[in-house]
Amino acid sequence: MARRVRDPRSRDQLVDAAWRLVARLGPASTTLRAVAAEAGVTTGSVTHYFEDKAELMAAVLRHNGDVATERVVQAVGAKRGLAAAKQATLALLPLDDVRFRCWQVWLAFWSQAPGQVREGGFLDGYREWSGKVAAYLAEAVEDGELPAGLDLRHEINVLGALVAGTGLLAGSDEAGRAQLRRRARRVFGEHFEALAARKVS
């Protein structure tokens, strides 16, 4: 039976606390008691809003996806075409603390049970992101920024592989994140320059 939410802001604060803990400790070590301590509330406050840990972890994954999506939406703004595709791609990379935390959470859930598809997990977010980028690349073709006949599905797959690889590298080498940021900006900058160079003359 669903529980009545007394204060949505309190619930959101608990999800945010759990999100921070999952990024640091992983889902297995993120207990309801630890979430309560992180949020500065009692364990009873957590269990008022969440039936059990599984419900809280599902909320963490949804929150993680919402944070990543909001970053992409803000970065794209009113842009379209190739500029929108570039901004949507860069906004997903772990190039600041918030986006790095998003990747930590995705990787933590994936490593806990590889191959298990969860609502709000990386696969859901990837499908949404790739759909948006495909639309932006189609706009770029329509606007003459890219040539007609370009294999958009292939271009999405290439970008997706580059994004996922960057996320995995960031999650595996926290000490090298500053260097990774520089490399990622160069790699993606060069990739989009090469795409733009294919435009119809």
Side-chain angles (χ1 to χ4, degrees):
M1 181 172 149
R3 297 185 175 198
R4 187 172 63 84
V5 175
R6 289 183 300 202
D7 183 354
R9 288 173 301 178
S10 295
R11 186 183 188 281
D12 292 346
Q13 288 166 356
L14 292 171
V15 172
D16 192 61
W19 180 59
R20 294 191 303 271
L21 284 176
V22 169
R24 280 201 317 265
L25 307 173
S29 298
T30 300
T31 64
L32 296 181
R33 183 173 293 178
V35 171
E38 178 78 10
V41 299
T42 66
T43 305
S45 295
V46 180
T47 57
H48 170 78
Y49 291 103
F50 300 96
E51 185 80 27
D52 53 22
K53 180 178 170 178
E55 185 181 354
L56 177 56
M57 291 300 101
V60 166
L61 265 178
R62 285 192 300 273
H63 174 69
N64 199 59
D66 290 344
V67 170
T69 297
E70 181 59 27
R71 285 300 181 105
V72 171
V73 168
Q74 286 181 356
V76 170
K79 297 176 184 67
R80 62 176 275 128
L82 207 50
K86 181 177 181 180
Q87 289 306 311
T89 300
L90 293 176
L92 198 57
L93 298 178
L95 302 183
D96 63 28
D97 289 341
V98 172
R99 287 177 288 170
F100 180 66
R101 186 175 294 154
C102 287
W103 278 92
Q104 285 178 303
V105 170
W106 280 323
L107 292 172
F109 278 100
W110 180 84
S111 64
Q112 185 185 40
Q116 183 176 342
V117 177
R118 293 181 177 87
E119 182 185 352
F122 179 75
L123 187 58
D124 275 357
Y126 176 76
R127 287 174 177 150
E128 182 180 351
W129 171 84
S130 63
K132 289 178 189 288
V133 175
Y136 300 144
L137 291 180
E139 289 175 349
V141 171
E142 181 184 321
D143 295 346
E145 295 178 292
L146 294 175
L150 185 67
D151 186 346
L152 297 184
R153 180 47 43 201
H154 172 72
E155 296 303 332
I156 293 295
N157 289 338
V158 169
L159 283 171
L162 288 171
V163 167
T166 303
L168 286 169
L169 285 172
S172 62
D173 182 17
E174 189 169 354
R177 279 172 60 203
Q179 184 180 6
L180 178 65
R181 286 187 186 110
R182 290 191 295 273
R183 281 203 316 261
R185 287 191 177 102
R186 179 177 176 182
V187 166
F188 284 92
E190 289 175 352
H191 183 79
F192 277 98
E193 284 175 17
L195 268 180
R198 297 189 205 180
K199 67 184 177 182
V200 179
S201 55

